[in-house]
Amino acid sequence: MTLPTLTEREQAVLAAVIDSFVRTAAPAGSRKIGKDYSLGVSPATIRNTMADLEGKGLLTHPYTSAGRLPTDLAYRYYVDGIMRWGSIRARDRAKIEREFRSVEVGGVEDLVGKAARVLSLLTGELGLAIGPTLATATLERLELVPVSSEKVLLVFTIESGVVRTVYVDVATRLPRTTLHAVSQALNERLAGSVLSEIQATMRERLGDLHFDNEGAQELMNIFVHSGPDIFEWARQEREVHLGSTAALAEQPEFTTSDRLRQLLLLTERRELLASVLGERGASDGPQVTIGTEHGQPELEDLTIVTANYSVGSLQGTVGVIGPTRMPYDKVVSIVDWTSDLLTRLTP
């Protein structure tokens, strides 16, 4: 997106209009901007400058009112050219750390879910987080646990303490000694390898293994012939965690029943949110996408702010989604700090 060139005065007026709209959710006129902000120019000059900004696509009239509203382009200009990407305020940092300490959490999933809830609480937007991509993760070990006469539970321990489970159907109850022997053989051939590689090469890795025990051999045959299906979760899984919608639902943008219904429907579109978050790439800092930049009709009135966190060599994403009328400097700093803290807290 090519941003227009603005004078210092135009930047100051644009920043004032955005700040006023973020605080009040009401269009800003030249008199209000002149009264509330020390710009050192007359209301007439502010009015002319606002007209120039409208001509450049940065402001718009919502109706016949003399007030103006920022466009998506205005927010993009603000984020890229005006906003100070500063450090998080000390009180916000203390709140985040306090919230993470307030609830006992276990593995990575607990921390990621907690991050989404904390972000909702502190920003007033809808917090969201996506678990780390597991296809490139390394399998540390797996265990076979008897569940019933017809099922065995596979427990996969992945790097950084991530655990996943899968049920496998068996013809008859297998004794623990048989399960232990098969587990040992599987770990010798699979542990230490990347999950996507395991999924693609199961037959080659296990095809030459033979057991005198008939039950053990039948179970191993399941892995040889159904291995790709057993590990399909590693390729597909992108679990999305959401915070509370309560604060977001109270914002003026969602006071009508139609807009609130659209918000609630969006929270049910986990696959859409997973797709959007999964496409944001391995950025070193916060990413901000605004309105029509998403390329999705459901998101054209919303802003998504995210930052990546690391779990060992794995990477996930935390952030918030809310209306384009957003206190970007505050939200960006909170999201950035939360991602850093999550990286430090994960095992």
Side-chain angles (χ1 to χ4, degrees), residues 4 22 36 42 90 99 133 140 154 170 183 185 191 194 209 217 219 224 267 281-282 292 296 311:
V22 168
D36 294 349
S42 67
E99 286 297 323
T133 305
E140 292 186 350
L154 275 66
V170 293
S183 296
V194 173
L209 285 174
Q217 188 60 53
L219 182 55
V224 172
T267 63
T292 54
Q296 298 280 354
V311 183

Side-chain angles (χ1 to χ4, degrees), residues 42-58:
S42 67
T45 299
I46 294 174
R47 183 166 56 253
N48 291 335
T49 303
M50 292 172 72
D52 292 339
L53 291 169
E54 186 171 4
K56 294 181 178 181
L58 296 164

Side-chain angles (χ1 to χ4, degrees), residues 139-145 153-158 164 179-180 182-188 190-191 195 198 202 223 230-231:
L139 176 67
E140 292 186 350
R141 69 179 183 278
L142 63 83
E143 300 174 68
L144 300 174
V145 180
L153 180 66
L154 275 66
V155 182
F156 301 92
T157 301
I158 307 158
R164 289 294 181 269
L179 296 179
H180 177 73
V182 175
S183 296
Q184 187 175 26
L186 290 172
N187 280 301
E188 289 174 356
L190 305 181
L195 293 173
I198 293 173
M202 284 286 282
F223 279 91
I230 292 174
F231 281 86

Side-chain angles (χ1 to χ4, degrees), residues 190-252:
L190 305 181
S193 298
V194 173
L195 293 173
S196 60
E197 296 176 355
I198 293 173
Q199 185 183 28
T201 60
M202 284 286 282
R203 187 182 296 271
E204 291 83 354
R205 290 170 180 261
L206 305 177
D208 63 337
L209 285 174
H210 298 286
F211 294 87
D212 294 333
N213 183 296
E214 182 178 350
Q217 188 60 53
E218 289 181 359
L219 182 55
M220 182 58 66
N221 289 341
I222 292 175
F223 279 91
V224 172
H225 298 292
S226 304
D229 294 332
I230 292 174
F231 281 86
E232 183 65 11
W233 52 269
R235 187 179 66 83
Q236 293 183 344
E237 182 175 280
R238 294 290 282 166
E239 183 178 2
V240 176
H241 302 262
L242 297 179
S244 172
T245 60
L248 191 59
E250 294 176 359
Q251 296 198 30

Side-chain angles (χ1 to χ4, degrees), residues 100 103 105 107-120 127-132 239-244 309 317-318 338 342 346:
F100 269 100
V103 176
V105 293
V108 173
E109 293 84 356
D110 293 331
L111 287 169
V112 173
K114 181 64 177 177
R117 296 190 294 274
V118 168
L119 286 169
S120 284
L128 63 159
I130 190 167
E239 183 178 2
V240 176
H241 302 262
L242 297 179
S244 172
Y309 66 90
T317 303
V318 294
T338 302
L342 190 56
T346 48

